[in-house]
Amino acid sequence: MIETTFNPKEVEPRWSEAWESSGAFKPKADPKADPFAIVIPPPNVTGSLHIGHALNNTLQDVLVRFERLRGKSVLWQPGTDHAGIATQLVVERQLAEDGNNMDRKTLGREEFLKRVWAWKEVSGGTITTQLRRLGASCDWSRERFTMDEGLSAAVRKVFVQLFKEGLIYKDTRLVNWDPHFETAISDLEVQNKEVNGHFWHFKYPLENGETYKFPIAYDTAGNPTEWEERNYIAIATTRPETMLGDGAVAVHPEDARYAGIVGKRVLLPLADRYIPIIADDYPDPTFGSGAVKITGAHDFNDYKVARKHNLPLYVLMDTKGRMANAEHVPPKYRGLDRFEARKQVVADIEALGLLDRVEDKKVSQPFGDRSNVVIEPMLTEQWYANAAELAKPAIAAVESGKTKFTPESWSKTYFQWMRNIEPWCISRQLWWGHRIPAWYGPDGKVFVEESATAAKSAARKHYGNDVELRQDEDVLDTWFSSALWPFSTMGWPDKTPELKRFYPGAILVTAHDIIFFWVARMMMMGLHFMKEVPFHEVYIHALVRDASGAKMSKSKGNVMDPLVLIDQYGADALRFTLAAMAAQGRDIKLSEQRIEGYRNFGTKLWNAARFAQMNECAVWDRYDPRDVKQTVNRWIIGEAAKAVALVTEELEARRFNEAASALYRFVWNVYCDWYLEFIKPLLNGEDEDAKLETRRTTAWILDQILILLHPFMPFITEELWARTGEYGQKRDGMLINAQWPDLPLDLLDKEAESEIEWTVNLIAETRSTRSELNVPAGAKIPLLLIGVGKDVEARLERYQGLIDRMARLEYSTTADAAPAGSVTFVLDGATVALPLAGVVDLPAEAARLAKEIGKLDGEISKMDAKLGNASFVEKAPEEVVEELRERREDAAASSVKLKHALKQIKGEA
């Protein structure tokens, strides 16, 4: 017998182990089975499961289990990313905590890398263990790591080939520089934070004491009316220390205030050199003074202007963010930390009388997401990939529909970035990662080969004898190896059977923030090396926010830990919640109340299975739904056929929330609330044939439910599949290996549907009316059908017992007219009367409803006024505006219901 309650803590690990050990996660060997491949976005080897992982992997697992049940040969390829900076940071912290005064440089590269590998073997599997707890049915036997030998060989081959094709090269360009790790980092590793800062306004004196008239007052038409004589140009900066590297001051070519001094020069204070005033479209004439300093080696926008105007680029800092020991840096600042230098520069400018003013302002500042130090734009020599050339086939593939985005709107984001793509900086100044396969000869000549042996051979050929080679110290950007993930994980460059069968993949499921960093680069690399797209579809899911719509962050204290939620509510409840809320293009507002609600849904299913088992519901032999005679059984079979069609359609369209909602309605409302109640008279009746048919149908429908729900709630459905199989026909294996239902819509019986739905609607509308009019729950009231035909009379007679019991009626019958004091509603053209005189004070109830409606409508008006205020909508936090919109919708829905109830009292419904 099925236990009273479902215990996820006992059930989940048992089935997780059973599935994996049985080989259920492996692709089918059947060559006739259509392949369905999906590669997991490899989580960082340092990572722990967070709520974004939980959403991403739940949606993947829903698709994987769905397609597996549909008979496809499914490969869900798992693995982890070596996470260059994150992993190096973990091990460096361990060294610091050892108390031996050791750091990686003291330890040396080779010994440090041994420590990293040792850490990976002990702690690197945390995230995959946690994914198993979520129920992720990856083929764990094929797990890969971006630094394993096979993938490393693929990385070397790709680098060498692209270099020899001229698509990888070295260049000196501006990069995001992390002074803590002393490396270039990607945009994704930069977090822009709003902090309290300052705008310092400096005066740069014009050369030779020249002056010009600067307007200081304007009329209403914007024409200048007063001027002052100036011998300087004013600029504003949030980073005073960078002024030492200015190459020019720029003004807009249409800014009349400066037209007379464009082409002249100003003295750069402290650096004591002259720089030109140039005209460029970059400055905004309406912001500040309209003049901006151009520091090409330390600002990305300035860099573009400097290159365009051929301005000198002055690198001001060393790798640690200290002022450089360079000729263009005045001696007194050399060696100072950049922030100490800032204080000194401001003090020295003020001492010269050139500090105009200081504004306190919120400024956006870039921080390293791992180091948490301010990132410095720096001019450095790095390795680059010619992304613009690699992007061309990747753009064409999406344009032609070979790969499509879901929702389609994300293709615009993809195109916008790809059509304006910059060279991809692929080198990092780290030790943990794929070391760049480039060796340098004594004269700096570079030899790029897949191995040191091949490089030595190339050098021997070049020099005519053996020479000492030095390998490049840098490693590759982590995204370089993950860009090869769809084919390197399947054995490329070898021509493996998996590569032939499962490339390209069916779909990629990921978040929007890595469209550029990962999706686009997989498209580039897949098309370049495989001559085919890596996947046919990219599903972009939304963010998971807290219950109020705010982004989750540790600093806000609103982070929800999926492992804690699994411990409390079970994996199935969390999975179903995430899927049920995963509407395309809409962020998820997650709350524990939602998860608790879907746990209750699992409990409802569990209790339904117990009810079925206690009533000896089972299929003992072949069951044909077309043989069914009882109306209620014919109806539920038709409802099951509709549910199968709808859930299948919604999953194929990647509308996870709609599929989950359809399942919820069918299981909770149709099967549990109505069907199981409607069959109780049959199960308790004397007609043995009807009883047997109903038992078989109840069990057969429950089987269809378990299969349909399995992709969303795998643990509870697998457990119930096993437990319900203890009584009846023996199960032919686990649920994970079952077959997706194939129920044609011609199973839908219109006559049965009409009859049962009429009965359901009559009960539901009666219950609703009782609730809206505050009829006491224990009050038994009559129900009258007014002026109906004999067919409806017969229908009422057939279901009278059910109707009276489920709607809590004294009796139900037909009548020619509604008695005084009745409340009425219309059902399928017939009038239904509920005589409430003596049960409810209708005038008092009408007054109460009118008062409630007035209160609600007043609140709606206030909310409409707020939402109609453009200033409020623009300035208020996004989650506040969204919450207000939801409250307005709820209030409007409540108002509609109450107005309907009032009309019923007045006889207007």
Side-chain angles (χ1 to χ4, degrees):
M1 177 62 67
I2 298 173
E3 288 82 1
T4 307
T5 57
F6 174 62
N7 182 359
K9 289 184 178 178
E10 185 275 322
V11 168
E12 289 173 2
R14 173 159 49 81
W15 281 116
S16 187
E17 197 281 327
W19 288 327
E20 193 171 343
S21 62
S22 72
F25 297 165
K26 294 177 181 290
K28 286 185 179 177
D30 182 1
K32 294 178 183 177
D34 291 336
F36 180 88
I38 182 168
V39 293
I40 200 170
N44 286 350
V45 71
T46 57
S48 293
L49 191 72
H50 58 63
I51 203 68
H53 288 139
L55 171 64
N56 179 269
N57 286 278
T58 291
L59 299 184
Q60 289 178 83
D61 196 52
V62 168
L63 292 178
V64 161
R65 290 178 185 268
F66 169 59
E67 297 296 0
R68 196 182 281 128
L69 289 165
R70 294 216 288 180
K72 293 184 181 178
S73 180
V74 174
L75 171 59
W76 186 9
Q77 174 62 56
T80 49
D81 188 277
H82 64 276
I85 285 182
T87 307
Q88 186 161 308
L89 176 61
V90 167
V91 179
E92 285 186 326
R93 279 178 178 164
Q94 282 187 347
L95 287 174
E97 290 166 3
D98 281 348
N100 296 323
N101 293 322
M102 294 284 281
D103 59 19
R104 67 181 169 95
K105 291 183 178 177
T106 309
L107 200 60
R109 185 170 193 144
E110 187 176 344
E111 189 57 35
F112 178 75
L113 291 178
K114 284 182 184 177
R115 295 281 186 104
V116 180
W117 278 108
W119 172 88
K120 189 262 178 188
E121 290 307 309
V122 173
S123 306
T126 299
I127 185 75
T128 55
T129 301
Q130 293 168 341
L131 284 170
R132 285 173 167 92
R133 286 199 61 195
L134 185 69
S137 59
C138 304
D139 183 357
W140 295 106
S141 68
R142 292 185 49 84
E143 187 177 346
R144 303 303 299 268
F145 177 55
T146 49
M147 286 281 285
D148 71 29
E149 184 45 47
L151 271 63
S152 295
V155 166
R156 291 192 295 271
K157 181 174 178 62
V158 165
F159 187 95
V160 171
Q161 183 174 326
L162 290 177
F163 176 82
K164 293 184 176 180
E165 291 172 352
L167 294 170
I168 281 181
Y169 56 92
K170 290 194 91 169
D171 193 10
T172 301
R173 298 174 60 89
L174 212 62
V175 297
N176 295 308
W177 187 264
D178 188 317
H180 175 80
F181 289 111
E182 298 180 73
T183 181
I185 61 174
S186 72
D187 289 343
L188 192 64
E189 293 158 323
V190 177
Q191 291 184 337
N192 289 300
K193 300 178 186 177
E194 202 170 66
V195 299
N196 293 322
H198 308 283
F199 273 171
W200 286 272
H201 293 258
F202 295 161
K203 298 176 181 179
Y204 287 8
L206 283 160
E207 187 177 19
N208 298 324
E210 290 196 51
T211 62
Y212 66 106
K213 291 187 181 297
F214 188 82
I216 57 172
Y218 298 85
D219 62 22
T220 54
N223 299 310
T225 56
E226 290 183 44
W227 293 261
E228 70 176 14
E229 195 85 10
R230 283 190 177 179
N231 63 354
Y232 65 89
I233 191 166
I235 61 94
T237 180
T238 60
R239 300 157 66 210
E241 70 281 4
T242 63
M243 67 164 291
L244 300 170
D246 288 356
V249 172
V251 297
H252 196 277
E254 295 177 9
D255 193 337
R257 296 172 297 177
Y258 300 113
I261 59 172
V262 171
K264 296 184 183 297
R265 299 197 308 172
V266 291
L267 177 67
L268 181 62
L270 308 181
D272 290 331
R273 55 185 169 83
Y274 287 97
I275 58 175
I277 300 170
I278 62 171
D280 191 271
D281 290 336
Y282 167 55
D284 179 357
T286 66
F287 184 75
S289 69
V292 296
K293 58 195 277 302
I294 303 300
T295 316
H298 289 274
D299 182 276
F300 286 98
N301 291 317
D302 292 5
Y303 176 71
K304 292 176 182 177
V305 177
R307 292 285 289 260
K308 178 179 172 183
H309 293 271
N310 200 28
L311 300 175
L313 301 170
Y314 300 101
V315 176
L316 297 172
M317 299 168 201
D318 65 13
T319 59
K320 290 184 176 292
R322 299 173 302 205
M323 302 306 285
N325 185 20
E327 186 179 347
H328 52 267
V329 177
K332 71 178 296 184
Y333 305 115
R334 294 173 193 172
L336 288 180
D337 174 81
R338 54 190 165 151
F339 299 115
E340 286 301 316
R342 175 177 298 179
K343 294 175 187 174
Q344 191 64 56
V345 164
V346 171
D348 291 347
I349 288 281
E350 187 172 20
L352 290 173
L354 298 176
L355 178 61
D356 188 28
R357 58 195 170 96
V358 182
E359 285 182 89
D360 294 334
K361 279 205 171 184
K362 291 275 188 184
V363 296
S364 181
Q365 208 163 51
F367 287 83
D369 67 342
R370 300 289 176 182
S371 64
N372 204 33
V373 302
V374 177
I375 297 305
E376 189 67 40
M378 287 270 279
L379 193 66
T380 62
E381 185 182 47
Q382 303 283 347
W383 287 93
Y384 287 88
N386 186 341
E389 192 61 34
L390 290 166
K392 290 175 183 176
I395 292 169
V398 176
E399 287 175 332
S400 68
K402 285 184 178 178
T403 294
K404 69 169 187 173
F405 279 82
T406 305
E408 196 278 330
S409 58
W410 284 112
S411 63
K412 296 172 187 171
T413 304
Y414 173 84
F415 286 135
Q416 184 179 17
W417 190 71
M418 292 288 268
R419 288 169 180 156
N420 298 281
I421 200 165
E422 296 283 340
W424 173 15
C425 177
I426 58 174
S427 50
R428 298 290 182 265
Q429 290 63 56
L430 301 170
W431 284 358
W432 174 242
H434 295 100
R435 194 165 177 182
I436 289 176
W439 286 262
Y440 300 92
D443 56 358
K445 168 73 176 172
V446 65
F447 301 93
V448 175
E449 300 292 345
E450 291 183 44
S451 67
T453 302
K456 287 177 183 176
S457 176
R460 189 182 306 115
K461 186 175 180 182
H462 174 77
Y463 292 113
N465 59 287
D466 287 331
V467 296
E468 188 174 340
L469 296 179
R470 172 183 58 85
Q471 187 174 359
D472 198 302
E473 292 289 323
D474 291 352
V475 299
L476 285 163
D477 174 16
T478 300
W479 297 102
F480 190 90
S481 51
S482 59
L484 318 181
W485 191 247
F487 54 95
S488 65
T489 52
M490 295 186 193
W492 187 91
D494 295 335
K495 295 180 179 178
T496 63
E498 293 89 346
L499 198 62
K500 183 178 180 181
R501 184 154 174 71
F502 293 110
Y503 187 95
I507 186 171
L508 178 79
V509 177
T510 191
H512 69 85
D513 57 346
I514 55 174
I515 290 176
F516 319 130
F517 296 94
W518 192 44
V519 178
R521 288 163 180 174
M522 283 189 287
M523 289 288 287
M524 293 186 220
M525 294 300 192
L527 283 159
H528 192 82
F529 289 95
M530 298 294 296
K531 310 305 178 189
E532 179 58 278
V533 295
F535 24 72
H536 293 300
E537 182 182 358
V538 180
Y539 176 86
I540 302 294
H541 61 72
L543 295 176
V544 185
R545 297 178 178 268
D546 72 9
S548 67
K551 195 170 181 179
M552 291 187 191
S553 72
K554 290 179 181 177
S555 60
K556 290 180 182 176
N558 63 346
V559 172
M560 299 178 76
D561 185 336
L563 298 172
V564 172
L565 296 172
I566 289 171
D567 283 339
Q568 190 166 354
Y569 301 104
D572 289 321
L574 177 61
R575 287 169 59 110
F576 199 90
T577 306
L578 292 169
M581 300 181 75
Q584 290 182 11
R586 190 187 308 159
D587 285 348
I588 291 172
K589 292 183 182 179
L590 189 63
S591 69
E592 287 203 36
Q593 288 78 11
R594 291 264 192 174
I595 302 168
E596 185 177 12
Y598 287 119
R599 181 192 61 186
N600 296 342
F601 172 59
T603 301
K604 186 86 168 178
L605 174 68
W606 186 264
N607 290 337
R610 291 189 78 243
F611 170 86
Q613 194 175 71
M614 286 188 291
N615 283 276
E616 302 178 10
C617 298
V619 178
W620 293 97
D621 51 16
R622 189 186 68 84
Y623 178 87
D624 188 343
R626 297 184 188 279
D627 293 340
V628 166
K629 303 290 191 295
Q630 296 296 317
T631 301
V632 70
N633 293 332
R634 285 186 283 123
W635 167 71
I636 195 63
I637 288 166
E639 291 299 306
K642 287 194 291 186
V644 169
L646 184 56
V647 172
T648 303
E649 178 187 345
E650 300 296 8
L651 284 179
E652 287 178 339
R654 314 311 184 211
R655 291 188 289 265
F656 297 94
N657 62 313
E658 297 293 350
S661 296
L663 278 167
Y664 186 94
R665 286 193 302 272
F666 178 61
V667 175
W668 189 300
N669 302 116
V670 177
Y671 184 73
C672 295
D673 280 355
W674 296 113
Y675 177 71
L676 294 185
E677 287 297 326
F678 277 29
I679 64 173
K680 284 178 181 177
L682 292 172
L683 294 175
N684 297 323
E686 301 298 324
D687 187 335
E688 292 300 324
D689 287 342
K691 189 182 296 186
L692 177 62
E693 176 191 290
T694 301
R695 284 172 172 166
R696 287 157 56 89
T697 302
T698 302
W700 183 81
I701 293 290
L702 182 58
D703 277 2
Q704 312 313 304
I705 285 172
L706 295 178
I707 299 170
L708 290 173
L709 262 178
H710 182 71
F712 296 87
M713 306 180 88
F715 294 106
I716 192 171
T717 53
E718 189 72 79
E719 179 70 3
L720 285 174
W721 185 261
R723 302 307 303 275
T724 54
E726 294 169 356
Y727 181 74
Q729 194 174 25
K730 185 172 173 57
R731 296 289 191 200
D732 187 23
M734 292 187 290
L735 174 57
I736 194 173
N737 297 319
Q739 187 175 347
W740 190 254
D742 180 17
L743 303 183
L745 287 174
D746 65 3
L747 286 170
L748 188 62
D749 187 314
K750 290 294 183 184
E751 185 180 329
E753 181 182 49
S754 173
E755 184 157 311
I756 299 299
E757 286 193 358
W758 178 88
T759 309
V760 166
N761 291 337
L762 178 60
I763 296 168
E765 188 67 26
T766 303
R767 287 172 168 176
S768 177
T769 301
R770 290 183 64 122
S771 173
E772 289 170 1
L773 299 182
N774 278 339
V775 177
K780 292 289 186 79
I781 60 173
L783 177 148
L784 306 176
L785 289 176
I786 309 301
V788 296
K790 293 194 177 296
D791 56 336
V792 175
E793 280 192 46
R795 186 178 282 177
L796 177 61
E797 187 176 341
R798 281 195 296 276
Y799 296 99
Q800 192 168 28
L802 269 174
I803 293 167
D804 292 353
R805 175 170 60 85
M806 296 182 72
R808 297 194 301 279
L809 300 174
E810 183 180 1
Y811 62 85
S812 54
T813 187
T814 58
D816 294 329
S822 292
V823 169
T824 62
F825 60 87
V826 177
L827 177 68
D828 288 355
T831 299
V832 182
L834 299 174
L836 295 179
V839 178
V840 174
D841 184 341
L842 293 179
E845 190 60 26
R848 182 189 70 82
L849 289 170
K851 184 178 179 181
E852 285 292 319
I853 291 166
K855 184 179 175 184
L856 279 171
D857 288 351
E859 290 175 0
I860 290 168
S861 295
K862 289 178 184 176
M863 289 187 276
D864 282 343
K866 266 193 172 183
L867 291 169
N869 184 334
S871 176
F872 168 78
V873 173
E874 184 181 332
K875 292 178 181 177
E878 182 186 342
E879 61 267 23
V880 171
V881 176
E882 185 60 28
E883 184 186 10
L884 188 62
R885 288 197 177 107
E886 288 181 4
R887 280 173 47 212
R888 197 259 178 226
E889 287 177 17
D890 291 343
S894 297
S895 178
V896 168
K897 283 183 69 177
L898 295 181
K899 286 172 182 174
H900 176 258
L902 186 57
K903 283 183 177 181
Q904 285 182 312
I905 290 176
K906 293 178 177 179
E908 300 171 1

